[in-house]
Amino acid sequence: PSLKPTASWCFDAELIVLHHSGTISCGFSPTLHIMTVRQAAKILNIEGKNCLRTRDKAKVRFRFLYKPEYIKIGMRMIIREGRIKGIGVILSLLTTEEEEEQLTQQQQRNVSPRQSV
């Protein structure tokens, strides 16, 4: 068959926050449950917003922390961290070339003028 599964580090998902007592922002690392996958992932980007609160919905970019996983577009996911709960659907997977390019751009933006001197 023409199936060529590849493991992904990064992916975009539509996320709905069901419950959170505060705010979720970039850098937050909840545990994701996607079918049989159970791993922590860091939020790299929240499209159109600075933070998410209870009942907010947004497109979010995640990056697995420990190893790439075999996931597909359309898979449903659950996030949890203590009492924080959320659900979502995977919208797109990033290839390794796209991931590396975006990570270098992000690192360049995060370097302050003092560090570059």
Side-chain angles (χ1 to χ4, degrees):
S2 63
L3 295 176
K4 295 181 182 175
T6 57
S8 297
W9 279 99
C10 286
F11 64 94
D12 290 331
E14 185 174 58
L15 179 68
I16 301 170
V17 180
L18 299 176
H19 176 73
H20 191 297
S21 57
T23 60
I24 295 174
S25 58
C26 293
F28 180 63
S29 300
T31 301
L32 300 182
H33 297 268
I34 306 168
M35 301 278 289
T36 59
V37 173
R38 183 180 66 214
Q39 186 179 165
K42 185 176 186 178
I43 294 177
L44 299 178
N45 184 28
I46 301 172
E47 192 173 290
K49 297 184 179 188
N50 291 333
C51 62
L52 296 173
R53 293 185 171 89
T54 301
R55 294 186 299 270
D56 280 353
K57 179 179 180 179
K59 183 177 174 184
V60 178
R61 176 157 297 158
F62 286 96
R63 182 172 185 4
F64 288 115
L65 293 181
Y66 303 108
K67 63 181 181 174
E69 297 285 358
Y70 291 96
I71 55 177
K72 295 190 297 186
I73 294 171
M75 285 183 157
R76 301 197 184 284
M77 60 182 240
I78 297 171
I79 69 164
R80 67 169 182 82
E81 189 68 37
R83 292 184 172 188
I84 300 162
K85 306 277 189 291
I87 57 173
V89 176
I90 296 174
L91 300 175
S92 64
L93 306 175
L94 278 75
T95 63
T96 53
E97 296 86 24
E98 290 174 328
E99 292 171 24
E100 289 174 13
E101 182 180 317
Q102 290 177 356
L103 285 174
T104 54
Q105 288 175 356
Q106 202 172 41
Q107 288 170 350
Q108 289 172 352
R109 280 184 268 151
N110 291 339
V111 174
S112 68
R114 287 185 195 169
Q115 293 175 343
S116 63
V117 173

